């Protein structure tokens, strides 16, 4: 496949300090020689995510994710390794050379480049088409929605004309039919084989990725055509579940919070009025990849429409964002059905105020609960108290829980004593259940405890051996290799790592161990080992100790095998004598 050479990759890696890069996405605090923070790849309350400036790696002891600066950008931005190289090269102002070409991916990459260019030309074509006399219907809509020229330009808003206008424009730019079809902006009729535009007589919205490349389009009908909105399907440069509309602009706004809205016009209307920390979903349910794009913002506000579809989308988004560990708030507006209408009626000041006062996830859940019940009814009030207590039980921070209890007690006329009593009752039931489960599990744990401890002991020692090999010391490597064979490693990951290390250290020094592997699990395991403090003060002594202990274990294991064979009835006199002699030799070695 097409790739950059190792020299340029090393230059890019060395020019991007991992601490500086990760700090743009995660709040880090010094922790000894490393820095720690809340992991951006999974939900957690206490920091288990560590960055080592010395080793230029990151590792999360919670979810196991790890890697170097390129691996971090690849994961956090949901992009390919090659794209991560390009992002960091741009960050470090490094000019990338022509790629080393191999046949496998060259054709695909060339086609991708063509599709990016087609999308760019299409965007420009739609924008110009908006200004021609025949586009009066679109011009009237733009005027009605009070969109100014700056907004039209910033968001690439245009108009798709009739049957094959875009196709003819692309042919004038000398694109081939297969390239045009790959963009999916033009379709081919199954009946007569004629080419026709996918978007016709629609207001067009240009969709860009975080690198400002045109990747897709959204089209709004301006007449009675159905559906009202259509979006580009997935292509070789676009996957709707991996992008957010206006993210390329919002990520540069400098705000600590960001609002997620439903439609293009919600986002555009807010941006035009100075509320720039807003993005929109792209006609799909919230995905984990979209959620990860929001990393770097301390707070995520859900600003979906107040109708049933919008509320359903809110619920789905909450599940995803909660899993990713975001501080989630839900926008509360009255007098308008959506953020677009609200900002038009009340202005940006009121909108920013509403965003600042967006309620927490706990408050939102209680509010939705209240809407289903009549608190003047005794049975409904009892149900409300029970469900409210279940919601409060999920709040881990005691001070936060106390604040909520006081707030809800006053807001819904429920005594604090009643809430505390119900909480204690639920907690007691949970504790009793946990005790029963604990007793059941204790039996299972005891039967496998010894075996598990042995496995853990072997893995820890093997991790130490890998760590010693990573020091790149030729003398140490020879000692370890002579004493420990690849088949001696019991952990499969360690076995693969040791095999590669033996091969590479035989050739010479290893520049970057992570470059030797593509398997994410192996990379995560290596960064775990590199991030572990084995408390070694004397490397030579550590090697002697670990090899001595390993040798002793091998001898003891052999002794056990011999004793087992000696107890067998099916053994010849010759074999018996041979085993007894070996046993004497082993006893002497163990005594020594």
């Amino acid at each position: 496949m097409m790739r950059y050479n190792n020299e340029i990759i090393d230059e890019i890696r060395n020019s991007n300090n991992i601490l500086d890069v990760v700090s743009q996405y995660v709040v880090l605090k010094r922790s000894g020689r490393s820095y720690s923070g809340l992991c951006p790849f999974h939900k957690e309350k206490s920091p288990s995510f560590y960055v080592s400036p010395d080793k230029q790696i990151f590792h999360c002891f919670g979810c196991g994710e790890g890697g170097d600066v390129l691996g971090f950008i690849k994961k956090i931005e949901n992009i390919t390794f090659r794209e991560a190289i390009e992002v960091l090269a741009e960050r470090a102002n490094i000019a990338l050379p022509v790629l080393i070409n191999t046949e496998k991916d060259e054709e695909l990459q060339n086609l991708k480049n063509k599709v990016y260019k087609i999308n760019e030309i299409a965007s420009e074509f739609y924008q110009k088409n908006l200004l021609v006399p025949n586009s009066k219907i679109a011009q009237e809509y733009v005027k009605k929605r009070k969109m100014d020229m700056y907004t039209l330009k910033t968001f690439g808003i245009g108009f798709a004309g009739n049957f094959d206008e875009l196709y003819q424009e692309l042919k004038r730019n000398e694109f081939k039919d297969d390239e045009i079809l790959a963009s999916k902006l033009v379709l081919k009729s199954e009946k007569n084989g004629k080419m026709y535009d996918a978007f016709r007589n629609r207001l067009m919205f240009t969709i860009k990725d975080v690198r400002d490349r045109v990747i897709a389009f959204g089209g709004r009908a301006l007449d009675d055509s159905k559906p009202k909105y259509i979006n580009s399907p997935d292509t070789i440069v676009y996957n709707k579940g991996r992008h957010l509309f206006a993210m390329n602009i919002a990520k540069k706004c400098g705000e600590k919070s960001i609002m997620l809205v439903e439609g293009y016009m919600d986002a555009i209307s807010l941006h035009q009025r100075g509320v720039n920390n807003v993005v929109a979903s792209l006609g799909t349910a919230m995905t984990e990849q979209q959620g990860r794009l929001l990393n770097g913002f301390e707070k995520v506000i859900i600003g979906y429409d107040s109708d049933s579809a919008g509320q359903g989308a809110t619920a789905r988004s909450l599940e995803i964002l909660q899993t990713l560990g975001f501080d989630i708030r839900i926008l509360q507006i009255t007098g308008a059905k959506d953020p677009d209408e609200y900002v038009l009626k009340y202005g940006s000041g009121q909108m920013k105020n509403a965003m600042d006062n967006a309620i927490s996830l706990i408050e939102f859940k209680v509010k939705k609960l209240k809407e289903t019940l009549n608190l003047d009814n005794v049975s409904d009030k009892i149900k409300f108290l029970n469900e409210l207590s279940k919601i409060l039980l999920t709040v881990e921070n005691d001070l936060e829980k106390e604040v909520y209890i006081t707030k809800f007690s006053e807001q819904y006329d429920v005594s604090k004593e009643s809430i505390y009593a119900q909480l204690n009752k639920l907690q007691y039931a949970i504790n009793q259940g946990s005790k029963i489960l604990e007793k059941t599990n204790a039996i299972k744990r005891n039967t496998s405890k010894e075996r598990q401890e042995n496995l853990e002991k072997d893995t820890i020692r093997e991790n130490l051996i890998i760590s010693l090999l990573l020091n790149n010391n030729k003398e140490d490597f020879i000692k370890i290799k002579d004493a420990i064979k690849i088949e001696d490693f019991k952990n499969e990951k360690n076995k693969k790592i040791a095999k590669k290390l033996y091969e590479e250290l035989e050739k010479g020094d290893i520049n970057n161990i992570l470059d030797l592997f593509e398997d994410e699990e192996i990379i995560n395991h290596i960064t775990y080992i590199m991030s572990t403090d084995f408390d070694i003060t004397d490397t030579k002594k550590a090697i002697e100790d670990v090899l001595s202990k390993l040798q002793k274990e091998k001898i003891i294991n052999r002794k056990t095998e011999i004793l087992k064979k000696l107890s067998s009835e099916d053994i010849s006199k010759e074999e018996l004598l041979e085993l007894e002699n070996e046993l004497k030799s082993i006893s002497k070695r163990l005594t020594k």
Side-chain angles (χ1 to χ4, degrees), residues 69-81:
V69 68
L70 284 164
F72 179 81
I73 286 295
K74 176 177 176 287
K75 290 174 182 178
I76 202 78
E77 295 284 1
N78 290 300
I79 55 180
T80 64
F81 182 73

Side-chain angles (χ1 to χ4, degrees), residues 322-583:
Q322 191 174 16
T323 301
L324 294 173
F326 285 105
D327 177 6
I328 310 165
R329 304 299 171 95
I330 296 87
L331 186 73
Q332 302 294 293
I333 53 176
T334 55
K337 69 178 186 301
D338 55 39
D340 173 28
E341 184 180 315
Y342 188 85
V343 77
L344 285 172
K345 286 177 71 173
Y346 304 109
S348 59
Q350 282 286 83
M351 172 53 73
K352 289 179 180 179
N353 186 54
M355 290 169 69
D356 290 339
N357 290 299
I359 63 175
S360 69
L361 181 56
I362 295 295
E363 292 172 287
F364 177 73
K365 286 181 177 179
V366 174
K367 182 182 177 184
K368 299 307 291 181
L369 170 64
K370 164 64 176 65
E371 289 174 1
T372 65
L373 301 168
N374 176 14
L375 298 192
D376 292 330
N377 180 287
V378 175
S379 60
D380 273 12
K381 194 154 190 173
I382 293 171
K383 184 177 180 181
F384 175 78
L385 176 61
N386 188 44
E387 295 302 317
L388 169 64
S389 301
K390 289 178 183 178
I391 294 170
L392 288 171
L393 209 58
T394 64
V395 181
E396 295 177 5
N397 185 286
D398 289 337
L399 180 59
E400 184 182 356
K401 187 183 293 183
E402 190 173 333
V403 170
Y404 280 133
I405 289 172
T406 301
K407 179 182 177 68
F408 296 143
S409 172
E410 295 173 356
Q411 189 172 353
Y412 299 111
D413 191 26
V414 180
S415 73
K416 291 169 68 172
E417 291 76 18
S418 299
I419 299 174
Y420 278 116
Q422 187 63 21
L423 276 172
N424 291 334
K425 182 180 176 182
L426 291 173
Q427 190 62 61
Y428 177 79
I430 291 170
N431 292 342
Q432 289 300 108
S434 297
K435 286 178 182 177
I436 295 169
L437 186 63
E438 184 67 25
K439 287 178 182 178
T440 305
N441 289 339
I443 300 169
K444 296 178 182 178
R445 282 200 303 271
N446 289 334
T447 56
S448 61
K449 185 178 179 182
E450 186 177 346
R451 183 177 60 183
Q452 185 63 34
E453 284 178 351
N454 287 335
L455 285 172
E456 288 175 0
K457 183 178 69 175
D458 290 337
T459 300
I460 291 169
R461 181 174 55 209
E462 290 176 10
N463 290 351
L464 171 59
I465 294 166
I466 298 294
S467 178
L468 292 166
L469 287 169
L470 290 173
N471 289 333
N472 263 337
N473 184 289
K474 192 74 174 178
E475 185 182 335
D476 295 343
F477 160 59
I478 293 169
K479 277 185 184 179
I480 293 171
K481 187 181 180 186
D482 287 344
I484 307 173
K485 307 305 176 189
I486 296 299
E487 54 269 23
D488 291 335
F489 287 89
K490 296 177 182 178
N491 182 287
E492 285 302 316
K493 293 173 188 173
N494 284 334
K495 188 176 287 187
K496 291 177 183 178
I497 296 166
K499 185 175 186 296
K500 182 62 73 173
L501 282 172
Y502 280 14
E503 292 170 358
E504 296 300 319
L505 286 168
E506 199 72 61
K507 301 173 190 174
D509 289 346
I510 297 172
N511 186 29
N512 190 324
I513 175 67
L514 301 183
D515 285 346
L516 301 177
F517 298 93
E518 293 183 0
D519 187 331
E520 290 288 341
E521 287 191 10
I522 297 291
I523 291 171
N524 293 342
H525 188 61
I526 293 170
T527 57
Y528 169 75
I529 292 171
M530 293 173 74
S531 301
T532 301
D533 183 5
F534 291 100
D535 197 22
I536 298 173
T537 54
D538 185 335
T539 302
K540 303 293 181 188
K541 181 74 166 54
I543 292 174
E544 288 174 9
D545 286 348
V546 75
L547 295 185
S548 174
K549 287 176 182 176
L550 186 65
Q551 188 63 25
K552 184 178 178 181
E553 279 190 18
K554 283 184 178 179
I555 295 171
I556 291 171
N557 289 339
R558 179 55 185 161
K559 180 182 177 181
T560 304
E561 286 178 14
I562 292 171
L563 291 172
K564 188 176 181 181
K565 285 184 179 180
L566 288 173
S567 65
S568 172
E569 296 179 0
D570 300 326
I571 185 169
S572 66
K573 288 184 178 180
E574 292 80 7
E575 190 178 2
L576 177 64
L577 183 62
E578 187 179 328
L579 289 173
E580 285 177 342
N581 288 333
E582 186 181 351
L583 188 60

Side-chain angles (χ1 to χ4, degrees), residues 169-187:
E169 175 70 10
L170 294 173
K171 292 301 286 184
R172 282 191 289 273
N173 280 274
E174 300 182 348
F175 288 105
K176 299 174 184 175
D177 280 357
D178 61 333
E179 296 166 349
I180 296 171
L181 288 170
S183 73
K184 299 188 181 178
L185 291 172
V186 173
L187 306 174

